[in-house]
């Protein structure tokens, strides 16, 4: 390992918790495949539980052709399903093993049971699907499907029960974050399904610890990805639904605790959701994975969850709304330090919607594969911020890892202005300060470096925005009446880039790159 690689590795692992290091070593020495685990006998008697869906999953399966569609990639299995199919990458295989399709709109009881029984028949050969994360999601989907269809099958329940026992002994402490929270949600569903108090005690302990840790004071999930926030909010609402529908079993304070956390998550999601219903595509967010904000808000209201309208704070996000535009700003640190797998090098990034339509956008993500596309989509140049001397603000690498990282200090903030600086370029002796100012019709962005450097300010246009007309230091977007001007720049370039429209789907759009030396003022008039 050369010196630079060693330095990157040290800058990555030094942020890990001792628990993560311990469990990574522990699990590497332990056989973690379910078929090698001592199987447990399921309980002889357990009462059926009630389940009613409020949000169905996206349609991903067509029974007539045995076609599965995940991540915008379709595959036909024809006569025989290979649950270990790996040609499209690990995430596609994971999705196949989640069994989300059991709870899509058009699945029948008979068709769903055919899929479950095929999986049960092949259980001992399952590879990726026997890992804790897909087990967690699959168990929830099985419990929902079996309960809503009044299915009681000892062979299916045997697999389900042993999955849950395995999960309870292989919790993802080496990862923490949303993975451990999904483990806890799954154990709660399993504990209700089998009326298993041991699973319940483990679940409630995890839920209280992790929700207290992972939900910030302003309601954001601490990984700061709006998409993952939606997913986890959905899961939390499902748990509330589960407890309310099955209050015959255990009565304690868990429901109150979960509803309080749901109120916080509701508040944050409503604050950052645009008027057209979209979310900012920051930090591994993309389309058609999580339930929409509108569906989640309706579900929350059905569950009696109140929006407590907390101001945005700890998450580092701010959203300014006028009659003409919505401005989303990131002035926060990446987070959390010990699990930044979904973080990007995007300090001082922003998005802008004009008249309820996207104008400046985050490029989003189109893959989780550890390749050049993934690296580029996480990198500084894919965000609406500045890049200095072609260096990264934050070292993203290895698909889901982060080494050196920018630290933010907010120096001024009021109703019309926010000023902050970060040290992501301190390795080259540079400090970057960015100031956002706004009023009803105008947005001004000032970038300032503490010394001369080759800098570029990057502005990614949505794919529907046409190429502007250049007029000296001004760009005019005639079709929507927007004027953009620059001061102290040396060059303005307009070039194509790939905007993510979902996993494995991109569309060509335009990037405005503005070169400058030490200071740049950008004005946007709408």
């Amino acid at each position: 390992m050369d010196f630079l690689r060693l330095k990157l590795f040290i800058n990555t692992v030094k942020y890990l918790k001792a628990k993560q290091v311990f469990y990574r070593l522990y699990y590497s020495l332990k056989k973690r495949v379910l078929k090698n685990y001592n199987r447990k006998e399921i309980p002889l008697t357990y009462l059926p539980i009630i389940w009613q869906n409020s949000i169905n999953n996206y349609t991903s399966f067509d029974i007539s052709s045995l076609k599965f569609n995940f991540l915008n990639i379709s595959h036909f299995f024809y006569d025989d399903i290979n649950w270990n199919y790996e040609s499209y990458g690990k995430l596609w295989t994971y999705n196949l093993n989640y069994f989300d399709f059991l709870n899509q709109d058009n699945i029948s009881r008979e068709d769903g049971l055919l899929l479950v029984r095929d999986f049960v028949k092949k259980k001992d050969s399952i590879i990726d699907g026997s890992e804790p994360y897909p087990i967690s999601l699959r168990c929830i989907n099985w419990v929902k499907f079996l309960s809503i269809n009044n299915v009681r099958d000892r062979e299916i329940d045997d697999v389900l029960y042993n999955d849950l026992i395995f999960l309870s002994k292989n919790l993802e402490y080496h990862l923490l974050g949303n993975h451990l929270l999904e483990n806890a949600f799954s154990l709660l569903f399993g504990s209700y399904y089998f009326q298993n108090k041991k699973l319940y005690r483990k679940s409630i302990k995890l839920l209280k610890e992790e929700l207290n840790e992972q939900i910030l004071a302003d309601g954001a999930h601490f990984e700061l990805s709006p998409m993952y926030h939606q997913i986890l909010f959905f899961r939390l609402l499902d748990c509330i639904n589960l407890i309310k529908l099955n209050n015959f079993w255990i009565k304690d304070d868990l429901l109150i605790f979960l509803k309080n956390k749901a109120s916080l998550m509701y508040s944050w999601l409503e604050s950052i959701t645009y008027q057209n219903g979209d979310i900012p595509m920051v930090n591994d967010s993309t389309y058609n994975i999580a339930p929409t904000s509108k569906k989640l808000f309706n579900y929350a209201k059905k569950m009696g969850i109140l929006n407590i309208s907390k101001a945005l704070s700890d998450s580092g996000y701010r959203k300014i709304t006028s009659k003409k535009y919505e401005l989303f700003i990131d002035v926060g640190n990446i987070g959390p330090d010990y699990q930044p797998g979904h973080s990007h090098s995007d300090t001082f990034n922003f998005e802008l919607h004009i008249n309820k339509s996207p104008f400046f956008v985050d490029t989003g993500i189109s893959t989780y594969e550890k390749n050049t596309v993934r690296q580029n989509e996480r990198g500084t140049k894919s965000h609406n911020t500045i890049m200095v001397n072609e260096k990264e603000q934050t070292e993203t690498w290895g698909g889901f890892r982060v080494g050196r990282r920018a630290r933010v200090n907010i120096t001024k903030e009021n109703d019309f202005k926010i000023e902050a600086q970060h040290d992501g370029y301190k390795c080259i002796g540079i400090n970057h300060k960015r100031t956002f100012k706004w009023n009803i019709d105008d947005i001004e962005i000032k970038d300032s470096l503490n010394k001369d450097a080759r800098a570029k300010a990057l502005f990614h246009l949505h794919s529907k925005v046409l190429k502007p007309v250049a007029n000296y230091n001004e760009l005019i977007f005639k079709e929507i009446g927007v004027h953009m001007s620059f001061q102290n720049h040396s060059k303005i370039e307009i070039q194509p880039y790939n905007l993510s429209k979902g996993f494995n789907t991109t569309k060509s759009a335009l990037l405005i790159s503005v070169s400058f030396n030490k200071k740049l003022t950008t004005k946007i008039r709408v």
Side-chain angles (χ1 to χ4, degrees):
M1 184 181 291
D2 59 39
F3 175 74
L4 291 178
R5 193 72 177 172
L6 178 62
K7 186 177 180 181
L8 177 63
F9 179 76
I10 292 171
N11 281 335
T12 301
V13 300
K14 71 182 183 182
Y15 293 100
L16 297 177
K17 286 189 172 185
K19 178 185 286 188
Q20 287 173 287
V21 176
F22 170 81
Y23 275 97
R24 187 168 292 276
L25 293 172
Y26 173 65
Y27 286 148
S28 69
L29 298 173
K30 178 183 176 185
K31 290 183 179 180
R32 301 182 64 221
V33 179
L34 185 58
K35 65 181 179 182
N36 291 330
Y37 200 83
N38 293 326
R39 301 184 71 79
K40 305 293 183 182
E41 292 295 325
I42 61 174
L44 291 175
T45 58
Y46 40 96
L47 297 172
I49 64 168
I50 301 169
W51 180 252
Q52 295 174 1
N53 281 329
S54 285
I55 300 178
N56 286 324
N57 295 330
Y58 288 108
T59 298
S60 57
F61 174 68
D62 179 4
I63 186 64
S64 63
S65 57
L66 279 186
K67 181 182 79 172
F68 292 88
N69 185 294
F70 309 116
L71 313 178
N72 296 306
I73 298 175
S74 295
H75 185 76
F76 297 85
F77 282 111
Y78 301 104
D79 296 327
D80 187 49
I81 299 171
N82 177 7
W83 299 101
N84 297 317
Y85 191 77
E86 59 183 2
S87 295
Y88 305 132
K90 192 179 182 76
L91 185 60
W92 199 95
T93 311
Y94 263 19
N95 273 268
L96 179 63
N97 283 267
Y98 292 162
F99 272 77
D100 280 347
F101 39 81
L102 286 182
N103 296 292
Q104 66 185 39
D105 278 329
N106 58 348
I107 196 82
S108 70
R109 183 180 189 273
E110 293 72 24
D111 292 341
L113 280 173
L114 283 174
L115 295 169
V116 173
R117 286 177 175 142
D118 186 75
F119 184 91
V120 167
K121 182 175 65 175
K122 300 169 182 174
K123 186 67 176 75
D124 287 344
S125 67
I126 303 300
I127 301 173
D128 289 340
S130 288
E131 295 177 15
Y133 189 75
I135 283 176
S136 296
L137 274 60
R138 182 171 65 248
C139 285
I140 292 173
N141 281 315
W142 280 26
V143 168
K144 287 182 179 181
F145 174 79
L146 296 172
S147 299
I148 205 168
N149 287 288
N150 298 311
V151 175
R152 270 294 191 254
D153 182 299
R154 296 293 287 188
E155 188 177 15
I156 293 172
D157 284 356
D158 175 73
V159 170
L160 176 58
Y161 184 72
N162 278 279
D163 268 357
L164 289 162
I165 297 301
F166 173 79
L167 176 62
S168 72
K169 297 179 184 298
N170 293 272
L171 298 166
E172 293 176 276
Y173 288 119
H174 60 303
L175 296 174
L176 301 177
N178 76 83
H179 277 243
L180 189 56
L181 198 48
E182 293 282 23
N183 299 164
F185 289 140
S186 186
L187 292 181
L188 184 70
F189 266 80
S191 71
Y192 266 83
Y193 186 81
F194 290 108
Q195 284 100 65
N196 185 302
K197 291 187 177 180
K198 187 175 180 180
L199 290 178
Y200 181 79
R201 286 192 295 269
K202 183 161 284 193
S203 171
I204 190 173
K205 181 177 183 293
L206 273 176
L207 284 172
K208 289 189 173 182
E209 288 175 353
E210 293 307 313
L211 286 170
N212 281 333
E213 168 85 3
Q214 296 190 33
I215 305 306
L216 302 178
D218 65 358
H221 181 254
F222 73 167
E223 292 181 40
L224 304 177
S225 166
M227 183 188 80
Y228 277 94
H229 184 101
Q230 288 177 320
I231 292 169
L232 294 169
F233 185 36
F234 174 39
R235 210 78 74 210
L236 182 56
L237 292 174
D238 269 351
C239 289
I240 291 168
N241 192 10
L242 175 73
I243 295 170
K244 291 180 72 171
L245 288 170
N246 299 280
N247 59 8
F248 67 89
W249 185 43
I250 286 182
K251 298 183 186 297
D252 55 23
D253 65 348
L254 180 60
L255 181 60
I256 295 172
F257 173 80
L258 296 182
K259 290 180 76 170
N260 286 337
K261 293 300 179 183
S263 291
L264 277 170
M265 295 187 78
Y266 186 160
S267 171
W268 186 86
L269 184 59
E270 187 169 74
S271 293
I272 62 101
T273 297
Y274 294 114
Q275 292 174 7
N276 69 356
D278 291 345
I279 53 171
M281 287 293 132
V282 297
N283 287 334
D284 279 2
S285 294
T286 194
Y287 298 95
N288 301 320
I289 299 295
T292 65
S293 292
K294 182 179 179 180
K295 287 183 177 180
L296 289 167
F297 297 151
N298 289 336
Y299 192 5
K301 289 170 185 174
K302 288 180 182 178
M303 293 299 105
I305 306 303
L306 301 176
N307 176 4
I308 56 177
S309 299
K310 293 273 288 187
L312 295 175
S313 58
D314 297 45
S315 60
Y317 294 142
R318 303 292 186 268
K319 186 154 164 286
I320 295 91
T321 302
S322 79
K323 290 183 178 180
K324 294 183 178 180
Y325 68 82
E326 297 165 90
L327 175 65
F328 174 86
I329 299 171
D330 181 359
V331 287
N333 294 314
I334 69 165
D337 266 340
Y338 60 83
Q339 181 46 283
H342 296 297
S343 297
H344 290 203
S345 180
D346 62 351
T347 305
F348 300 161
N349 184 30
F350 74 97
E351 287 194 330
L352 179 64
H353 279 212
I354 297 175
N355 296 323
K356 301 183 181 180
S357 295
F359 187 74
F360 289 127
V361 294
D362 191 286
T363 63
I365 58 158
S366 62
T367 184
Y368 271 177
E369 295 300 301
K370 296 176 183 179
N371 55 24
T372 302
V373 173
R374 170 75 173 155
Q375 184 63 33
N376 288 340
E377 289 176 346
R378 294 182 78 203
T380 306
K381 65 183 177 183
S382 291
H383 302 91
N384 299 318
T385 183
I386 74 164
M387 196 166 194
V388 179
N389 291 354
E390 299 299 319
K391 294 284 187 181
E392 297 287 340
Q393 304 166 329
T394 290
E395 289 178 309
T396 56
W397 68 282
F400 296 91
R401 303 194 185 281
V402 175
R404 171 183 54 79
R405 53 203 67 184
R407 295 296 186 188
V408 176
N409 177 34
I410 298 175
T411 52
K412 294 180 183 177
E413 183 173 9
N414 57 41
D415 290 341
F416 307 100
K417 173 182 177 180
I418 189 164
E419 176 185 287
Q421 57 188 13
H422 78 82
D423 64 358
Y425 296 118
K426 68 180 179 181
C427 57
I428 53 174
I430 299 289
N431 184 279
H432 175 209
K433 180 172 74 174
R434 174 167 268 194
T435 304
F436 292 89
K437 293 173 66 176
W438 56 86
N439 58 37
I440 295 175
D441 300 309
D442 298 280
I443 298 165
E444 181 183 86
I445 304 169
K446 286 189 174 182
D447 290 298
S448 176
L449 307 178
N450 61 319
K451 66 180 186 181
D452 292 345
R454 292 179 295 106
K456 287 183 179 181
L458 305 165
F459 304 90
H460 296 82
L461 294 167
H462 188 267
S463 56
K464 291 183 179 178
V465 179
L466 301 179
K467 186 175 182 179
V469 175
N471 182 22
Y472 297 105
N473 69 332
E474 187 176 42
L475 298 176
I476 303 169
F477 299 85
K478 289 185 175 181
E479 75 280 6
I480 49 178
V482 173
H483 292 243
M484 188 179 186
S485 63
F486 307 96
Q487 295 176 13
N488 302 318
H489 64 292
S490 58
K491 186 194 295 184
I492 302 172
E493 297 174 282
I494 301 176
Q495 54 204 47
Y497 79 96
N498 289 324
L499 173 65
S500 171
K501 304 300 288 183
F503 276 104
N504 301 297
T505 305
T506 62
K507 191 165 186 177
S508 182
L510 296 174
L511 163 66
I512 300 168
S513 176
V514 183
S515 300
F516 69 101
N517 181 4
K518 195 174 179 181
K519 295 182 183 297
L520 176 70
T521 299
T522 304
K523 293 184 179 180
I524 305 164
R525 184 168 182 81
V526 301

